[in-house]
């Protein structure tokens, strides 16, 4: 059993930025940062396009970023939150730069701003096509400077300790032994990222199993907007690999075309903004086109673009395609939509507080109200860094008035030896769940009947629950149960269905 002032679960941008902020403000506070993987693995690490921000403070520019965000969110954004995030963006970006992240500049010394779908102007700062990698590296380095941050890898959070709507800590399993530990804290901050692995095709790494949302939901936290799952239109569609490699939307912002097997730029048939319409629109257009043509994927065409400039902006994409024998300057790139971003999550207020006392949430696992029904490209990293700051200010003020509460938890810490491996049954159920969740999204997009798919998902979920009792401290089984919980939240019948 361990005690700490602040317990942070997750080492992506939301977890790391908060840890640094608290450590700066409260040097005598003990901060325990825990991740289930190695320190680097996260959705953050794979971010490509960049961070949207208005770096000159002309009011009109803020207004247009706000307008684009609200338009993309289709009436479900919290307008105050949108304004808060966008207006604080320049300050937070300057901090990221101070902490060691480098964003590309043009030869004239100006920011080399990228363009993505739904943005009315180019306003995306990036580090080539590996912004997330550069960010994660800088944040991990910065965090290592603080003596009061204790970083634990390979510790899997399995359960939040919540009694009478007060969170007092969490239970963790050591990933190599499945041995359980309890960590008690004054403040518990969830930054566990998204849940793309719930779908058969996703750009998210295998850690993205929705653990934080599932744990918080089971503990009674308010969760919202989970039905709004964002698919990215252009995941590389070459073979059955998990995750799918992303071809950044910035490539279309740079001028690439989306074409069908006959070579036609078809997105204009569905929306006047063509390739640079928002992601929901472009993904839907691709699904409709695939249904119409019977093809398995469409293509990105980069052949007309300036080779030198393209390579300068997207070296990793060129390299990854080359590994698959695709020369982006000569060949078409096969692409299809894949699950990318969980727009909903644990409901939080403007300080990232959840509905459970002393429990905070930030990043992709949280629903701040910024994204509404559909996130504007490159607004996610921004949201995480802005809310890390807001949460840190709130927590720093509150910490002196909070004491650690230790719950009686012996029954949860049984020292039994559990099998650490994934069972075949688990693997099969996961495959089925992921298959039907993808079909669910596809059918929703195409406006087709969902009743049969709902039944399939529900059958699988019952089997997962039944199976779970036998393996309750086996990490793959807990992850699968979490994925099943996320599937329930995504597919829950809405009032108007
Ligand atoms: P993550 O970065 O996913 O971190 C989650 C952390 O929680 C990890 O350390 C994980 O190991 C840990 N964790 C999870 N479960 C547990 C558990 N049970 N116990 C312990 N630890 C746990 N957004 C943009 O704004 N711009 C982009 O250009 C962009 N490009 C993207 C490209 C790709 C391929 C992908 C997948 C996403 C992209 N996104 C982008 C989205 C963005 O990267 C993510 O939304 C964001 O990084 C999420 O950050 P996070 O800190 O909330 O979660
Ligand atoms: C991309 O580079 O296309 C991803 C950007 C994002 O998810 O915001």
């Amino acid at each position: 059993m361990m005690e700490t002032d602040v317990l942070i679960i997750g080492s992506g941008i939301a977890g790391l930025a908060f840890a640094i902020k608290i450590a700066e403000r409260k040097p005598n506070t003990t901060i325990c940062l825990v991740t289930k993987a190695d320190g680097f693995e996260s959705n953050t690490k794979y971010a490509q396009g960049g961070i949207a921000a208005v770096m000159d403070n002309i009011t009109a520019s803020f207004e247009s970023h706000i307008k684009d965000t609200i338009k993309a969110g289709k009436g479900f954004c919290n307008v105050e939150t949108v304004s808060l995030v966008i207006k604080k963006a320049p300050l937070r970006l300057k901090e990221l730069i101070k902490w060691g992240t480098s964003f590309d500049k043009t030869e004239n010394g100006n920011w080399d701003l990228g363009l993505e779908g739904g943005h009315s102007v180019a306003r995306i700062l990036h580090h080539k096509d590996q912004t997330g990698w550069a960010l994660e590296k800088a944040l991990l380095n910065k965090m290592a400077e603080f003596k009061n941050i204790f970083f634990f890898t390979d510790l899997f959070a399995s359960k939040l300790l919540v009694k009478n709507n007060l969170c007092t800590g969490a239970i963790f399993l050591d990933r190599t032994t499945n041995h359980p530990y309890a960590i008690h804290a004054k403040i518990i901050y969830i930054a566990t990222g998204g849940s793309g692995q719930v779908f058969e095709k996703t750009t998210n790494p295998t850690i993205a199993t929705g653990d934080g949302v599932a744990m918080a939901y089971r503990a009674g936290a308010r969760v919202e907007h989970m039905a709004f799952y964002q698919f990215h239109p252009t995941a590389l569609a070459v073979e059955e690999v998990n995750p799918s490699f992303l071809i950044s939307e910035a490539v279309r912002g740079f001028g690439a075309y989306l074409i069908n097997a006959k070579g036609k730029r078809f997105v204009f048939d569905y929306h006047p903004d063509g390739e640079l319409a928002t992601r929901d629109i472009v993904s839907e257009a691709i699904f409709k086109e695939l249904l119409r043509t019977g093809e398995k994927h469409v293509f990105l065409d980069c052949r007309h673009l300036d080779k030198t400039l393209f390579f300068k902006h997207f070296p990793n994409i060129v390299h990854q395609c080359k590994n698959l024998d695709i020369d982006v300057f000569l060949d078409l790139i096969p692409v299809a939509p894949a699950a990318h971003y969980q727009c909903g999550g644990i409901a939080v207020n403007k300080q990232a507080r959840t509905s459970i006392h002393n429990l905070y949430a930030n990043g992709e696992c949280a629903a701040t109200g910024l994204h509404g029904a559909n996130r504007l490209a490159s607004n996610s990293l921004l949201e995480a860094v802005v809310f890390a700051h807001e949460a840190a200010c709130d927590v720093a003020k509150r910490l002196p008035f909070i004491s650690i509460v230790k719950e009686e938890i012996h029954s949860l810490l049984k020292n039994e030896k559990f099998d650490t491996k994934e069972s075949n049954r688990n693997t099969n159920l996961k495959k089925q769940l992921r298959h039907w969740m993808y079909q669910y999204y596809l059918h929703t997009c195409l406006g087709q009947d969902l009743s049969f798919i709902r039944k399939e998902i529900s059958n699988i979920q019952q089997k997962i629950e039944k199976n779970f009792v036998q393996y309750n401290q086996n990490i793959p089984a807990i992850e699968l149960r979490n994925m099943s919980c996320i599937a329930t939240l995504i597919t829950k019948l809405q009032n108007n269905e």
Side-chain angles (χ1 to χ4, degrees):
M1 217 184 290
M2 247 177 70
E3 277 181 38
T4 179
D5 292 319
V6 177
L7 170 61
I8 303 170
I9 311 175
S11 64
I13 188 169
L16 292 171
F18 178 72
I20 294 166
K21 287 264 162 185
I22 287 286
E24 274 180 345
R25 277 182 172 61
K26 293 268 175 192
N28 296 323
T29 295
T30 53
I31 301 158
C32 179
L33 175 64
V34 181
T35 173
K36 71 176 176 181
D38 65 39
F40 216 64
E41 186 62 346
S42 54
N43 272 5
T44 301
K45 172 183 162 187
Y46 299 95
Q48 295 188 4
I51 307 194
V54 175
M55 291 304 274
D56 51 35
N57 53 13
I58 302 165
T59 315
S61 307
F62 281 136
E63 287 315 315
S64 80
H65 190 181
I66 291 171
K67 213 168 134 197
D68 292 348
T69 301
I70 291 172
K71 190 175 166 203
K74 299 197 279 197
F76 287 89
C77 298
N78 177 322
V79 177
E80 276 180 32
T81 303
V82 175
S83 175
L84 168 99
V85 172
I86 283 159
K87 290 187 177 160
K88 297 229 170 161
L91 276 176
R92 302 287 79 86
L93 264 284
K94 279 177 196 152
E95 258 160 16
L96 286 177
I97 294 163
K98 200 175 78 193
W99 293 345
T101 317
S102 73
F103 294 107
D104 294 349
K105 289 197 166 174
T106 62
E107 277 165 11
N108 304 332
N110 299 321
W111 296 116
D112 180 20
L113 299 173
L115 177 67
E116 293 183 54
H119 286 272
S120 51
V121 294
R123 59 164 81 90
I124 299 163
L125 285 96
H126 59 95
H127 179 96
K128 304 197 184 305
D129 54 353
Q130 289 190 291
T131 309
W133 184 88
L135 263 173
E136 186 71 17
K137 192 161 147 259
L139 291 170
L140 283 167
N141 284 342
K142 181 70 193 172
M143 180 192 68
E145 291 175 12
F146 295 95
K147 300 273 177 292
N148 56 333
I149 303 179
F150 302 89
F151 188 26
F152 298 90
T153 58
D154 295 303
L155 268 193
F156 176 90
S158 61
K159 184 180 166 61
L160 292 171
L161 297 169
V162 176
K163 209 171 180 180
N164 301 328
N165 206 42
L166 172 74
C167 188
T168 56
I171 304 284
F172 293 86
L173 302 173
D174 180 320
R175 218 177 161 89
T176 49
T177 60
N178 283 15
H179 184 87
Y181 298 90
I183 303 180
H184 282 109
K186 295 175 180 171
I187 292 292
I188 296 87
Y189 173 100
I190 310 182
T192 47
S195 57
Q197 284 294 320
V198 172
F199 298 90
E200 188 173 37
K201 292 191 177 94
T202 179
T203 61
N204 291 191
T206 53
I207 52 126
T209 49
D211 302 341
V213 175
M215 278 191 296
Y217 179 70
R218 281 195 201 103
R222 198 157 67 79
V223 167
E224 66 184 17
H225 287 177
M226 287 295 286
F228 300 139
Y229 214 97
Q230 177 173 80
F231 269 52
H232 195 294
T234 55
L236 190 60
V238 277
E239 48 188 306
E240 296 298 311
V241 283
N242 181 24
S244 305
F245 180 72
L246 182 74
I247 308 291
S248 175
E249 195 159 323
V251 169
R252 275 173 282 136
F254 193 80
Y257 303 145
L258 261 175
I259 59 174
N260 62 18
K262 291 214 165 111
K264 181 176 179 220
R265 283 179 75 185
F266 61 91
V267 192
F268 287 100
D269 294 348
Y270 298 90
H271 197 275
D273 291 342
E275 286 93 350
L276 288 177
T278 50
R279 279 178 194 169
D280 53 332
I281 292 167
V282 182
S283 290
E284 200 174 307
I286 296 176
F287 280 134
K288 286 185 174 155
E289 192 67 7
L290 295 179
L291 180 73
R292 193 184 68 76
T293 59
E295 304 284 342
K296 283 209 160 66
H297 50 70
V298 293
F299 298 95
L300 260 179
D301 188 354
C302 306
R303 295 171 302 178
H304 55 290
L305 300 171
D306 181 289
K307 226 171 161 170
T308 314
L309 274 182
F310 190 93
F311 186 73
K312 193 171 157 215
H313 281 87
F314 308 110
N316 192 43
I317 290 174
V318 173
H319 175 74
Q320 297 289 342
C321 287
K322 200 169 177 194
N323 282 346
L324 295 161
D325 267 345
I326 302 167
D327 180 336
V328 302
F329 304 114
L330 296 174
D331 304 322
L332 297 174
I333 310 172
V335 290
H340 184 65
Y341 186 83
Q342 177 188 283
C343 295
I346 308 163
V348 293
N349 72 0
K350 290 192 191 63
Q351 288 79 38
R353 291 189 198 185
T354 71
S355 62
I356 295 179
H357 209 52
N358 295 350
L359 181 69
Y360 288 67
N362 183 23
E364 193 165 336
C365 68
T368 64
L370 176 68
H371 311 306
N374 177 53
R375 172 172 69 90
L376 183 68
S378 290
N379 265 357
S380 166
L381 299 168
L382 175 62
E383 175 191 47
V385 81
V386 169
F387 271 87
H389 175 87
E390 300 302 313
C393 296
D394 192 50
V395 168
K397 265 191 260 151
R398 294 188 56 224
L399 267 177
F401 307 103
I402 307 174
S403 336
I404 291 187
V405 179
K406 281 197 227 150
E407 264 190 60
E408 185 45 65
I409 46 169
H410 284 306
S411 59
L412 297 171
L413 294 179
K414 271 190 212 148
N415 235 339
E416 287 173 37
K417 191 89 187 130
F418 283 89
D419 193 356
T420 55
K421 292 204 192 78
E422 177 155 28
S423 67
N424 288 340
R425 189 166 165 72
N426 200 91
T427 311
N428 286 337
L429 287 169
K430 194 196 294 179
K431 199 170 168 198
Q432 289 170 37
L433 181 70
R434 298 180 78 226
H435 168 78
W436 286 111
M437 283 302 291
Y438 183 80
Q439 290 303 318
Y440 176 86
Y441 185 86
L442 180 64
H443 281 66
T444 309
C445 234
L446 297 173
Q448 293 170 339
D449 179 37
L450 293 169
S451 48
F452 172 69
I453 297 174
R454 282 187 187 284
K455 251 186 228 142
E456 289 290 339
I457 293 172
S458 164
N459 282 341
I460 299 161
Q461 288 174 316
Q462 282 170 29
K463 288 183 194 158
I464 290 170
E465 275 306 314
K466 213 168 138 202
N467 198 36
F468 184 72
V469 185
Q470 303 165 41
Y471 301 103
N472 64 0
Q473 279 180 12
N474 170 281
I475 292 172
I478 300 174
E479 282 181 336
L480 180 61
R481 188 167 178 243
N482 289 340
M483 289 163 71
S484 174
C485 172
I486 299 295
T488 306
L489 294 168
I490 293 173
T491 58
K492 218 171 173 173
L493 282 172
Q494 307 300 306
N495 292 340
N496 54 354
E497 284 185 75

